[in-house]
Amino acid sequence: TPSCDIYEDGEEIVVRAELAGVEPKDVEIRYENGVLTLKGERKLEMEEKRENYHRVELSYGTFTRGFSLPASIDAEKIRAESKHGVLLVHLPKKPEAKPKSIQVKVN
């Protein structure tokens, strides 16, 4: 199961998943009813040579991670990118969910 960070600013929520060894094309990303789901598979290359490994600490096989997110996500604008084995899913907030500055009038 990949390790994930979730962080937020005024514009968006970002889910950052460590996916070293996983091809981006092998990752399915779904957002439905306020839940972001990541599904994929980390394949062990040359499976038949596994007996020659001294240690196997990376987990291989299929994985699923799910995250409940606020309803303020603009589902139409979600985008994902992969850089150096790290998947970033950008979940922009709807305009009404963004913080607003309120000017204080001085009389």
Side-chain angles (χ1 to χ4, degrees):
T1 306
S3 299
C4 296
D5 293 338
I6 300 176
Y7 52 94
E8 177 177 2
D9 62 22
E11 299 292 316
E12 66 180 2
I13 295 173
V14 178
V15 176
R16 181 182 187 276
E18 295 283 347
L19 291 176
V22 180
E23 289 289 328
K25 65 180 175 53
D26 293 334
V27 180
E28 179 187 345
I29 304 166
R30 291 180 63 97
Y31 180 75
E32 194 172 16
N33 298 325
V35 177
L36 178 73
T37 305
L38 307 178
K39 289 183 182 177
E41 182 176 7
R42 180 178 283 129
K43 297 171 183 161
L44 178 60
E45 299 297 324
M46 301 177 298
E47 188 86 42
E48 70 280 358
K49 303 228 170 152
R50 192 169 183 153
E51 69 270 10
N52 296 329
Y53 280 56
H54 292 282
R55 180 179 294 231
V56 177
E57 289 189 344
L58 289 174
S59 58
Y60 294 91
T62 58
F63 62 83
T64 302
R65 294 289 314 258
F67 307 96
S68 292
L69 298 169
S72 57
I73 298 299
D74 188 343
E76 299 299 314
K77 295 185 179 171
I78 295 172
R79 62 186 176 83
E81 59 183 319
S82 179
K83 289 182 185 173
H84 311 296
V86 175
L87 175 72
L88 295 170
V89 183
H90 298 269
L91 301 118
K93 296 177 184 177
K94 292 176 184 169
E96 65 269 17
K98 293 178 187 173
K100 293 180 178 63
S101 294
I102 298 167
Q103 208 69 36
V104 177
K105 289 187 178 179
V106 180
N107 295 327

XYZ file of all heavy atoms in Angstrom:
853
model
N 0.846 -1.183 0.000
C 0.000 0.000 0.000
C 0.888 1.242 0.000
O 1.764 1.363 0.849
C -0.898 0.016 1.238
O -1.601 -1.220 1.288
C -1.891 1.124 1.177
N 0.673 2.150 -0.935
C 1.530 3.330 -0.990
C 1.289 4.279 0.176
O 0.173 4.391 0.685
C 1.136 3.992 -2.314
C -0.244 3.505 -2.591
C -0.332 2.134 -1.995
N 2.358 4.951 0.604
C 2.238 6.003 1.617
C 1.679 7.242 0.947
O 2.027 7.553 -0.196
C 3.599 6.318 2.217
O 4.132 5.177 2.830
N 0.811 7.955 1.657
C 0.163 9.137 1.082
C 0.220 10.318 2.046
O 0.141 10.142 3.259
C -1.300 8.842 0.757
S -1.522 7.582 -0.505
N 0.363 11.500 1.486
C 0.215 12.751 2.226
C -0.983 13.479 1.619
O -1.214 13.392 0.414
C 1.439 13.662 2.052
C 2.693 13.101 2.695
O 2.566 12.260 3.607
O 3.799 13.489 2.276
N -1.721 14.199 2.457
C -2.813 15.041 1.966
C -2.595 16.429 2.547
O -2.412 16.564 3.764
C -4.190 14.501 2.396
C -4.401 13.092 1.843
C -5.303 15.431 1.917
C -5.694 12.432 2.286
N -2.558 17.432 1.676
C -2.414 18.789 2.189
C -3.375 19.707 1.443
O -3.922 19.344 0.408
C -0.969 19.281 2.125
C -0.273 19.169 0.791
C -0.259 20.241 -0.089
C 0.387 18.000 0.421
C 0.387 20.154 -1.310
C 1.041 17.901 -0.794
C 1.041 18.976 -1.657
O 1.673 18.888 -2.864
N -3.566 20.878 2.028
C -4.619 21.774 1.534
C -4.144 23.210 1.614
O -3.411 23.584 2.531
C -5.842 21.566 2.431
C -7.013 22.436 2.145
C -8.211 22.114 3.040
O -8.117 21.230 3.902
O -9.237 22.781 2.863
N -4.542 23.980 0.627
C -4.358 25.426 0.719
C -5.696 26.081 0.370
O -6.714 25.393 0.308
C -3.195 25.906 -0.165
C -3.412 25.644 -1.653
O -4.584 25.481 -2.073
O -2.429 25.603 -2.408
N -5.695 27.371 0.130
C -6.953 28.056 -0.135
C -7.616 27.651 -1.433
O -8.816 27.811 -1.602
N -6.831 27.109 -2.362
C -7.345 26.801 -3.692
C -7.720 25.336 -3.892
O -8.630 25.033 -4.647
C -6.284 27.167 -4.749
C -5.901 28.638 -4.770
C -7.030 29.516 -5.258
O -7.671 29.157 -6.253
O -7.273 30.560 -4.620
N -6.982 24.418 -3.247
C -7.163 23.002 -3.556
C -6.692 22.094 -2.426
O -6.010 22.525 -1.504
C -6.410 22.636 -4.849
C -4.900 22.751 -4.712
C -4.140 22.392 -5.987
O -4.770 22.088 -7.022
O -2.893 22.400 -5.933
N -7.085 20.821 -2.548
C -6.552 19.748 -1.713
C -5.674 18.911 -2.633
O -6.027 18.669 -3.794
C -7.691 18.894 -1.119
C -8.522 19.748 -0.160
C -7.134 17.662 -0.407
C -9.768 19.056 0.344
N -4.514 18.495 -2.136
C -3.608 17.682 -2.947
C -3.342 16.370 -2.214
O -3.024 16.363 -1.022
C -2.270 18.413 -3.204
C -1.314 17.520 -4.015
C -2.502 19.723 -3.936
N -3.510 15.271 -2.938
C -3.143 13.952 -2.413
C -1.846 13.560 -3.110
O -1.766 13.557 -4.342
C -4.249 12.901 -2.679
C -3.795 11.521 -2.220
C -5.541 13.302 -1.981
N -0.828 13.252 -2.297
C 0.501 12.891 -2.808
C 0.759 11.441 -2.416
O 0.758 11.099 -1.238
C 1.536 13.810 -2.169
C 2.956 13.599 -2.581
C 3.858 14.582 -1.811
N 5.212 14.530 -2.274
C 6.112 13.646 -1.871
N 5.793 12.735 -0.970
N 7.333 13.654 -2.350
N 0.937 10.579 -3.411
C 1.122 9.146 -3.150
C 2.470 8.686 -3.687
O 2.833 8.993 -4.826
C 0.003 8.335 -3.804
N 3.228 7.961 -2.846
C 4.514 7.395 -3.258
C 4.237 6.129 -4.059
O 3.747 5.146 -3.512
C 5.353 7.051 -2.019
C 5.770 8.258 -1.198
C 6.923 9.032 -1.821
O 7.561 8.512 -2.750
O 7.162 10.161 -1.385
N 4.544 6.170 -5.353
C 4.243 5.017 -6.211
C 5.463 4.553 -6.988
O 5.375 4.204 -8.159
C 3.108 5.370 -7.182
C 1.732 5.561 -6.548
C 0.728 5.991 -7.603
C 1.260 4.299 -5.875
N 6.623 4.528 -6.326
C 7.834 4.038 -6.995
C 7.596 2.613 -7.473
O 7.055 1.780 -6.754
C 9.013 4.078 -6.026
N 7.973 2.353 -8.715
C 7.817 1.008 -9.263
C 6.448 0.730 -9.848
O 6.187 -0.371 -10.307
N 5.559 1.728 -9.817
C 4.217 1.558 -10.380
C 4.103 2.455 -11.614
O 4.363 3.653 -11.534
C 3.118 1.923 -9.362
C 1.735 1.748 -9.977
C 3.254 1.088 -8.097
N 3.727 1.870 -12.734
C 3.531 2.658 -13.952
C 2.274 3.524 -13.796
O 1.234 3.016 -13.382
C 3.352 1.733 -15.156
C 4.605 1.010 -15.576
C 5.630 1.924 -16.208
O 5.227 2.911 -16.875
O 6.828 1.673 -16.017
N 2.356 4.817 -14.126
C 1.161 5.671 -14.018
C -0.046 5.105 -14.755
O -1.175 5.234 -14.304
C 1.616 6.996 -14.639
C 3.101 7.013 -14.446
C 3.540 5.577 -14.545
N 0.189 4.425 -15.902
C -0.931 3.854 -16.663
C -1.605 2.708 -15.920
O -2.724 2.335 -16.243
C -0.451 3.393 -18.039
C 0.547 2.257 -18.000
C 0.966 1.848 -19.410
C 2.049 0.803 -19.436
N 1.800 -0.388 -18.677
N -0.939 2.160 -14.897
C -1.506 1.059 -14.116
C -2.264 1.543 -12.880
O -2.641 0.743 -12.032
C -0.408 0.077 -13.686
C 0.200 -0.658 -14.869
O -0.490 -0.809 -15.894
O 1.369 -1.078 -14.772
N -2.441 2.859 -12.761
C -3.146 3.422 -11.602
C -4.509 3.943 -12.049
O -4.616 4.706 -13.007
C -2.342 4.560 -10.957
C -3.094 5.139 -9.764
C -0.969 4.072 -10.525
N -5.552 3.500 -11.359
C -6.902 4.005 -11.624
C -7.248 4.993 -10.522
O -7.088 4.704 -9.331
C -7.904 2.845 -11.616
C -9.332 3.288 -11.867
C -10.350 2.167 -11.683
O -9.953 0.989 -11.634
O -11.545 2.492 -11.572
N -7.719 6.167 -10.921
C -8.096 7.220 -9.971
C -9.572 7.501 -10.170
O -10.013 7.791 -11.277
C -7.280 8.507 -10.220
C -5.780 8.199 -10.141
C -7.663 9.588 -9.224
C -4.906 9.306 -10.691
N -10.339 7.402 -9.076
C -11.788 7.677 -9.146
C -12.172 8.649 -8.038
O -11.639 8.557 -6.929
C -12.591 6.391 -8.945
C -12.487 5.395 -10.083
C -13.311 4.161 -9.787
N -14.721 4.467 -9.687
C -15.591 4.322 -10.681
N -15.191 3.861 -11.836
N -16.854 4.622 -10.518
N -13.099 9.535 -8.358
C -13.673 10.420 -7.341
C -15.183 10.300 -7.449
O -15.766 10.586 -8.488
C -13.239 11.872 -7.568
C -13.819 12.812 -6.544
C -13.311 12.840 -5.251
C -14.885 13.637 -6.853
C -13.864 13.684 -4.297
C -15.435 14.478 -5.914
C -14.921 14.502 -4.637
O -15.466 15.331 -3.693
N -15.795 9.821 -6.380
C -17.235 9.582 -6.402
C -17.807 9.773 -5.005
O -17.267 9.243 -4.036
C -17.477 8.142 -6.869
C -18.903 7.844 -7.253
C -19.035 6.458 -7.901
O -18.122 5.629 -7.779
O -20.077 6.225 -8.518
N -18.880 10.550 -4.910
C -19.569 10.782 -3.634
C -18.615 11.210 -2.512
O -18.691 10.723 -1.397
C -20.342 9.533 -3.202
C -21.420 9.150 -4.193
O -22.038 10.016 -4.804
N -21.643 7.859 -4.373
N -17.689 12.101 -2.851
C -16.779 12.632 -1.837
C -15.636 11.708 -1.464
O -14.911 11.984 -0.515
N -15.451 10.614 -2.193
C -14.368 9.667 -1.882
C -13.428 9.559 -3.081
O -13.859 9.284 -4.200
C -14.917 8.265 -1.515
C -13.781 7.281 -1.274
C -15.813 8.354 -0.292
N -12.138 9.801 -2.816
C -11.106 9.600 -3.833
C -10.523 8.207 -3.630
O -10.128 7.847 -2.521
C -10.004 10.643 -3.678
C -8.840 10.502 -4.652
C -9.257 10.939 -6.051
C -7.637 11.286 -4.184
N -10.478 7.411 -4.693
C -9.935 6.052 -4.614
C -8.783 5.900 -5.594
O -8.900 6.279 -6.759
C -11.024 5.004 -4.946
O -12.145 5.209 -4.094
C -10.509 3.587 -4.745
N -7.677 5.373 -5.095
C -6.525 5.036 -5.926
C -6.398 3.527 -5.959
O -6.358 2.883 -4.900
C -5.236 5.629 -5.348
C -5.208 7.120 -5.051
C -3.868 7.502 -4.447
C -5.460 7.929 -6.310
N -6.349 2.940 -7.144
C -6.167 1.497 -7.288
C -5.019 1.265 -8.248
O -4.879 1.988 -9.239
C -7.412 0.820 -7.877
C -8.584 0.743 -6.970
C -9.714 -0.010 -7.671
C -10.946 -0.054 -6.779
N -12.076 -0.712 -7.450
N -4.212 0.263 -7.982
C -3.111 -0.020 -8.889
C -2.424 -1.316 -8.530
O -2.881 -2.075 -7.680
N -1.309 -1.529 -9.202
C -0.554 -2.751 -8.958
C 0.926 -2.467 -9.105
O 1.359 -1.800 -10.049
C -0.966 -3.835 -9.959
C -0.255 -5.154 -9.725
C -0.738 -6.258 -10.654
O -1.530 -5.970 -11.564
O -0.310 -7.394 -10.451
N 1.707 -2.926 -8.129
C 3.164 -2.867 -8.221
C 3.632 -4.259 -8.600
O 3.401 -5.215 -7.874
C 3.787 -2.431 -6.899
C 5.314 -2.364 -6.970
C 5.930 -1.888 -5.672
N 5.793 -0.453 -5.538
C 5.292 0.155 -4.470
N 4.854 -0.536 -3.457
N 5.217 1.465 -4.422
N 4.270 -4.361 -9.771
C 4.672 -5.667 -10.284
C 6.142 -5.916 -9.975
O 6.968 -5.016 -10.121
C 4.436 -5.739 -11.793
C 2.967 -5.609 -12.157
C 2.765 -5.452 -13.645
C 1.280 -5.254 -13.939
N 1.033 -4.678 -15.236
N 6.458 -7.122 -9.562
C 7.847 -7.508 -9.345
C 8.408 -7.983 -10.671
O 7.912 -8.948 -11.247
C 7.939 -8.620 -8.290
C 9.343 -9.173 -7.993
C 10.259 -8.067 -7.494
C 9.274 -10.279 -6.958
N 9.415 -7.266 -11.166
C 10.021 -7.671 -12.434
C 10.724 -9.008 -12.241
O 11.277 -9.290 -11.184
C 11.051 -6.617 -12.891
C 10.456 -5.252 -13.140
C 9.437 -5.224 -14.257
O 9.628 -5.947 -15.245
O 8.450 -4.490 -14.142
N 10.730 -9.820 -13.260
C 11.412 -11.117 -13.241
C 10.973 -11.952 -12.038
O 11.774 -12.330 -11.195
C 12.937 -10.933 -13.229
C 13.442 -10.161 -14.432
S 15.207 -9.848 -14.394
C 15.387 -8.858 -12.944
N 9.698 -12.190 -11.926
C 9.122 -12.937 -10.805
C 9.856 -14.253 -10.573
O 10.038 -14.665 -9.447
C 7.642 -13.202 -11.118
C 6.842 -13.805 -9.972
C 6.299 -12.757 -9.022
O 5.824 -11.713 -9.474
O 6.371 -13.003 -7.812
N 10.304 -14.887 -11.650
C 10.941 -16.196 -11.506
C 12.285 -16.115 -10.785
O 12.787 -17.112 -10.285
C 11.121 -16.868 -12.882
C 12.170 -16.229 -13.796
C 11.672 -14.980 -14.528
O 10.503 -14.612 -14.378
O 12.481 -14.383 -15.255
N 12.881 -14.913 -10.688
C 14.190 -14.791 -10.028
C 14.053 -14.417 -8.557
O 15.035 -14.114 -7.900
C 15.031 -13.736 -10.744
C 15.211 -14.031 -12.217
C 16.638 -13.899 -12.637
C 16.758 -14.442 -14.052
N 17.795 -13.877 -14.816
N 12.866 -14.416 -8.043
C 12.641 -13.953 -6.674
C 13.448 -14.761 -5.662
O 13.840 -14.247 -4.625
C 11.149 -14.023 -6.342
C 10.812 -13.301 -5.063
C 9.321 -13.144 -4.902
N 9.045 -12.391 -3.701
C 7.996 -11.659 -3.507
N 7.085 -11.566 -4.444
N 7.816 -11.013 -2.388
N 13.698 -16.041 -5.947
C 14.455 -16.853 -4.980
C 15.889 -16.356 -4.818
O 16.547 -16.676 -3.840
C 14.436 -18.342 -5.382
C 15.229 -18.673 -6.645
C 14.389 -18.570 -7.917
O 13.254 -18.069 -7.862
O 14.886 -19.001 -8.974
N 16.382 -15.529 -5.738
C 17.734 -14.991 -5.633
C 17.807 -13.716 -4.786
O 18.892 -13.240 -4.512
C 18.304 -14.689 -7.029
C 18.463 -15.965 -7.845
O 18.718 -17.033 -7.298
N 18.291 -15.846 -9.147
N 16.644 -13.190 -4.410
C 16.626 -11.978 -3.590
C 17.059 -12.328 -2.172
O 16.661 -13.350 -1.613
C 15.202 -11.391 -3.521
C 14.780 -10.569 -4.724
C 14.812 -11.097 -6.009
C 14.326 -9.271 -4.563
C 14.409 -10.346 -7.106
C 13.916 -8.515 -5.650
C 13.962 -9.061 -6.914
O 13.554 -8.315 -7.981
N 17.888 -11.472 -1.560
C 18.263 -11.657 -0.163
C 17.185 -11.098 0.762
O 17.011 -11.575 1.876
C 19.601 -10.959 0.125
C 20.750 -11.616 -0.568
N 21.333 -12.768 -0.120
C 21.395 -11.286 -1.707
C 22.309 -13.117 -0.927
N 22.364 -12.232 -1.918
N 16.505 -10.083 0.276
C 15.468 -9.446 1.098
C 14.465 -8.803 0.171
O 14.836 -8.210 -0.827
C 16.119 -8.368 1.975
C 15.153 -7.645 2.880
C 15.892 -6.619 3.706
N 16.795 -7.273 4.617
C 16.847 -7.033 5.919
N 16.066 -6.127 6.434
N 17.676 -7.660 6.687
N 13.180 -8.919 0.496
C 12.124 -8.251 -0.269
C 11.283 -7.462 0.730
O 10.543 -8.038 1.509
C 11.235 -9.269 -1.031
C 10.100 -8.537 -1.745
C 12.059 -10.054 -2.040
N 11.477 -6.126 0.744
C 10.744 -5.288 1.691
C 9.639 -4.495 1.019
O 8.682 -4.114 1.670
C 11.701 -4.332 2.406
C 12.613 -5.053 3.381
C 13.413 -4.114 4.247
O 13.506 -2.916 3.921
O 13.952 -4.597 5.249
N 9.799 -4.193 -0.275
C 8.731 -3.483 -0.968
C 7.537 -4.410 -1.115
O 7.698 -5.603 -1.363
C 9.199 -3.041 -2.356
C 10.227 -1.910 -2.401
C 10.693 -1.680 -3.821
C 9.643 -0.641 -1.827
N 6.355 -3.868 -0.933
C 5.169 -4.705 -1.099
C 4.775 -4.712 -2.572
O 4.785 -3.681 -3.233
C 4.026 -4.199 -0.224
O 3.728 -2.875 -0.541
N 4.461 -5.888 -3.069
C 4.075 -6.063 -4.459
C 2.638 -6.548 -4.509
O 2.127 -7.097 -3.548
C 5.015 -7.051 -5.161
C 6.417 -6.522 -5.270
C 7.354 -6.779 -4.280
C 6.788 -5.721 -6.343
C 8.634 -6.257 -4.369
C 8.071 -5.203 -6.437
C 8.988 -5.481 -5.447
O 10.243 -4.953 -5.535
N 2.020 -6.354 -5.668
C 0.648 -6.790 -5.840
C -0.272 -5.593 -5.963
O 0.152 -4.462 -6.137
N -1.569 -5.863 -5.865
C -2.553 -4.798 -6.047
C -2.765 -4.033 -4.748
O -2.535 -4.556 -3.658
C -3.903 -5.373 -6.523
O -4.347 -6.324 -5.567
C -3.769 -6.043 -7.871
N -3.174 -2.791 -4.884
C -3.460 -1.964 -3.712
C -4.660 -1.087 -4.002
O -4.977 -0.797 -5.144
C -2.248 -1.099 -3.327
C -1.841 -0.118 -4.399
C -2.477 1.111 -4.527
C -0.835 -0.428 -5.289
C -2.123 2.011 -5.526
C -0.460 0.464 -6.291
C -1.100 1.680 -6.397
N -5.339 -0.691 -2.942
C -6.445 0.271 -3.016
C -6.325 1.196 -1.815
O -6.146 0.734 -0.694
C -7.815 -0.434 -2.973
O -7.899 -1.357 -4.048
C -8.953 0.566 -3.099
N -6.393 2.503 -2.059
C -6.455 3.491 -0.979
C -7.662 4.365 -1.219
O -7.907 4.790 -2.346
C -5.202 4.401 -0.966
C -3.875 3.764 -0.642
C -3.681 3.321 0.794
N -4.059 4.255 1.828
C -3.213 5.011 2.528
N -1.932 4.996 2.262
N -3.648 5.777 3.497
N -8.414 4.649 -0.165
C -9.580 5.512 -0.280
C -9.505 6.652 0.718
O -9.048 6.455 1.845
N -9.942 7.830 0.317
C -9.905 9.010 1.173
C -11.232 9.749 1.085
O -11.682 10.065 -0.012
C -8.783 9.968 0.729
C -7.444 9.310 0.617
C -6.988 8.850 -0.609
C -6.645 9.125 1.730
C -5.763 8.230 -0.729
C -5.412 8.503 1.621
C -4.973 8.056 0.390
N -11.838 10.010 2.233
C -13.052 10.837 2.275
C -12.626 12.295 2.253
O -11.786 12.706 3.047
C -13.852 10.553 3.545
O -14.376 9.255 3.485
N -13.206 13.047 1.334
C -12.840 14.455 1.177
C -14.083 15.319 1.314
O -15.200 14.839 1.160
C -12.193 14.662 -0.197
C -10.892 13.872 -0.417
C -10.478 13.940 -1.872
C -9.786 14.403 0.465
N -13.892 16.618 1.603
C -15.054 17.504 1.743
C -15.861 17.580 0.455
O -15.329 17.373 -0.637
C -14.427 18.868 2.061
C -12.986 18.635 2.326
C -12.621 17.296 1.792
N -17.115 17.895 0.581
C -18.008 17.991 -0.583
C -17.712 19.222 -1.423
O -18.314 19.414 -2.466
C -19.451 18.015 -0.106
N -16.773 20.043 -0.970
C -16.487 21.301 -1.670
C -15.544 21.130 -2.858
O -15.082 22.110 -3.430
C -15.879 22.300 -0.674
O -14.706 21.741 -0.093
N -15.252 19.899 -3.270
C -14.343 19.644 -4.385
C -15.073 19.866 -5.717
O -16.202 19.436 -5.894
C -13.817 18.187 -4.330
C -13.025 17.935 -3.050
C -12.971 17.854 -5.568
C -11.804 18.785 -2.878
N -14.390 20.523 -6.649
C -14.930 20.710 -7.995
C -14.486 19.510 -8.841
O -13.382 19.487 -9.398
C -14.397 22.025 -8.578
C -15.068 22.374 -9.891
O -15.684 21.477 -10.507
O -14.967 23.551 -10.295
N -15.349 18.500 -8.938
C -14.998 17.230 -9.578
C -14.598 17.398 -11.037
O -13.794 16.620 -11.564
C -16.153 16.241 -9.456
N -15.118 18.414 -11.702
C -14.820 18.623 -13.126
C -13.378 19.069 -13.352
O -12.858 18.953 -14.459
C -15.759 19.694 -13.708
C -17.229 19.335 -13.634
C -17.556 18.063 -14.416
O -17.083 17.939 -15.555
O -18.270 17.212 -13.871
N -12.722 19.583 -12.314
C -11.389 20.155 -12.502
C -10.281 19.322 -11.847
O -9.140 19.777 -11.767
C -11.372 21.583 -11.957
C -12.284 22.496 -12.757
C -12.178 23.922 -12.317
C -13.084 24.813 -13.160
N -13.163 26.164 -12.640
N -10.598 18.126 -11.394
C -9.572 17.270 -10.784
C -8.554 16.886 -11.854
O -8.911 16.570 -12.981
C -10.206 15.996 -10.181
C -11.123 16.376 -9.013
C -9.134 15.014 -9.715
C -11.939 15.214 -8.472
N -7.273 16.932 -11.476
C -6.236 16.491 -12.418
C -5.158 15.736 -11.650
O -5.003 15.910 -10.436
C -5.645 17.676 -13.194
C -4.953 18.687 -12.349
C -4.507 19.910 -13.144
N -3.922 20.905 -12.267
C -2.653 20.901 -11.850
N -1.831 19.935 -12.237
N -2.208 21.836 -11.051
N -4.440 14.889 -12.374
C -3.395 14.083 -11.741
C -2.130 14.157 -12.577
O -2.180 14.278 -13.796
C -3.858 12.632 -11.621
N -0.993 14.099 -11.896
C 0.294 14.090 -12.580
C 1.237 13.156 -11.835
O 1.082 12.907 -10.646
C 0.880 15.504 -12.661
C 1.089 16.156 -11.309
C 1.613 17.584 -11.414
O 2.494 17.838 -12.256
O 1.158 18.425 -10.637
N 2.203 12.629 -12.561
C 3.174 11.709 -11.976
C 4.569 12.237 -12.249
O 4.896 12.582 -13.385
C 3.001 10.315 -12.587
O 3.941 9.426 -12.045
N 5.389 12.333 -11.172
C 6.764 12.802 -11.313
C 7.659 11.940 -10.441
O 7.458 11.864 -9.224
C 6.911 14.256 -10.827
C 6.272 15.294 -11.694
C 6.557 16.680 -11.108
C 5.830 17.763 -11.863
N 5.969 19.072 -11.218
N 8.631 11.298 -11.046
C 9.651 10.544 -10.300
C 9.054 9.585 -9.285
O 9.487 9.523 -8.134
C 10.623 11.504 -9.600
C 11.155 12.584 -10.489
N 11.953 12.336 -11.589
C 10.985 13.930 -10.467
C 12.259 13.478 -12.180
N 11.673 14.458 -11.534
N 8.027 8.846 -9.691
C 7.441 7.858 -8.790
C 6.481 8.419 -7.757
O 6.062 7.728 -6.846
N 6.136 9.696 -7.896
C 5.185 10.329 -6.969
C 3.963 10.756 -7.778
O 4.081 11.455 -8.783
C 5.798 11.550 -6.260
C 4.759 12.249 -5.395
C 7.001 11.128 -5.424
N 2.788 10.319 -7.333
C 1.531 10.708 -7.970
C 0.939 11.875 -7.192
O 0.820 11.810 -5.969
C 0.547 9.529 -7.958
C -0.851 9.830 -8.494
C -0.823 10.003 -10.002
C -1.812 8.718 -8.115
N 0.586 12.938 -7.902
C -0.069 14.087 -7.286
C -1.464 14.209 -7.891
O -1.608 14.303 -9.109
C 0.703 15.379 -7.557
C 2.098 15.481 -6.946
C 2.830 16.686 -7.499
C 2.006 15.565 -5.441
N -2.476 14.177 -7.030
C -3.854 14.381 -7.476
C -4.304 15.734 -6.928
O -4.342 15.938 -5.718
C -4.793 13.259 -6.986
C -6.197 13.472 -7.539
C -4.261 11.881 -7.393
N -4.609 16.658 -7.842
C -5.031 18.008 -7.472
C -6.558 18.061 -7.497
O -7.171 17.773 -8.522
C -4.466 19.031 -8.462
C -2.973 19.075 -8.483
N -2.251 19.918 -7.685
C -2.069 18.354 -9.204
C -0.957 19.734 -7.922
N -0.819 18.786 -8.834
N -7.144 18.429 -6.366
C -8.598 18.495 -6.232
C -8.992 19.938 -5.909
O -9.017 20.341 -4.735
C -9.066 17.540 -5.124
C -8.669 16.077 -5.371
C -7.752 15.573 -4.283
C -9.899 15.207 -5.475
N -9.259 20.744 -6.947
C -9.603 22.151 -6.711
C -10.918 22.293 -5.940
O -11.829 21.480 -6.083
C -9.746 22.730 -8.120
C -9.036 21.771 -9.012
C -9.195 20.427 -8.364
N -10.982 23.355 -5.137
C -12.203 23.639 -4.391
C -13.154 24.456 -5.260
O -12.725 25.232 -6.106
C -11.863 24.437 -3.133
C -11.002 23.679 -2.151
C -10.652 24.581 -0.981
C -9.703 23.889 -0.027
N -9.301 24.791 1.070
N -14.439 24.250 -5.039
C -15.448 25.078 -5.713
C -15.277 26.520 -5.229
O -14.884 26.749 -4.085
C -16.854 24.583 -5.360
C -17.175 23.218 -5.929
C -18.547 22.758 -5.461
C -18.829 21.344 -5.945
N -20.026 20.778 -5.309
N -15.603 27.481 -6.093
C -15.395 28.894 -5.715
C -16.034 29.262 -4.380
O -15.453 29.982 -3.588
C -16.028 29.673 -6.869
C -15.962 28.734 -8.026
C -16.102 27.344 -7.453
N -17.228 28.732 -4.119
C -17.908 29.119 -2.867
C -17.229 28.535 -1.633
O -17.478 28.959 -0.516
C -19.389 28.720 -2.896
C -19.664 27.225 -2.946
C -19.770 26.688 -4.371
O -19.322 27.360 -5.312
O -20.321 25.588 -4.523
N -16.339 27.558 -1.824
C -15.670 26.929 -0.683
C -14.343 27.608 -0.350
O -13.751 27.338 0.679
C -15.426 25.451 -0.973
N -13.888 28.490 -1.243
C -12.607 29.145 -1.007
C -12.778 30.218 0.063
O -13.808 30.884 0.131
C -12.094 29.787 -2.303
C -11.725 28.754 -3.355
C -11.283 29.437 -4.626
C -11.075 28.420 -5.724
N -10.815 29.052 -7.016
N -11.760 30.397 0.895
C -11.865 31.433 1.929
C -11.978 32.820 1.305
O -11.371 33.089 0.272
C -10.555 31.299 2.714
C -9.702 30.336 1.987
C -10.504 29.674 0.928
N -12.760 33.657 1.923
C -12.944 35.016 1.417
C -12.413 36.015 2.446
O -12.621 35.857 3.636
C -14.438 35.283 1.184
C -15.033 34.457 0.064
C -16.508 34.774 -0.105
C -17.129 34.014 -1.240
N -17.124 32.574 -1.092
N -11.735 37.011 1.927
C -11.285 38.095 2.805
C -12.431 39.106 2.938
O -13.052 39.470 1.938
C -10.059 38.802 2.221
O -8.981 37.918 2.211
N -12.664 39.544 4.128
C -13.731 40.517 4.364
C -13.078 41.810 4.836
O -12.326 41.820 5.815
C -14.740 39.987 5.412
C -15.384 38.711 4.875
C -15.777 41.050 5.761
C -16.142 37.924 5.908
N -13.365 42.846 4.085
C -12.793 44.143 4.408
C -13.558 44.756 5.574
O -14.797 44.740 5.588
C -12.906 45.054 3.176
C -11.858 46.126 3.080
C -10.474 45.569 2.803
O -10.319 44.611 2.080
N -9.470 46.174 3.392
N -12.848 45.287 6.539
C -13.496 45.959 7.662
C -13.558 47.460 7.347
O -12.529 48.081 7.069
C -12.709 45.742 8.982
C -13.361 46.511 10.119
C -12.633 44.266 9.303
N -14.765 47.981 7.352
C -14.927 49.409 7.065
C -14.675 50.208 8.351
O -15.144 49.838 9.422
C -16.326 49.715 6.555
C -16.560 49.185 5.159
C -17.883 49.639 4.617
C -18.054 49.132 3.211
N -19.326 49.505 2.630
N -13.926 51.262 8.191
C -13.633 52.128 9.333
C -14.467 53.384 9.167
O -14.384 54.068 8.137
C -12.124 52.464 9.397
C -11.850 53.356 10.596
C -11.299 51.199 9.476
N -15.296 53.711 10.187
C -16.145 54.909 10.120
C -15.414 56.116 10.655
O -14.662 56.070 11.553
C -17.454 54.701 10.905
C -18.286 53.617 10.264
O -18.261 53.469 9.049
N -19.031 52.887 11.060
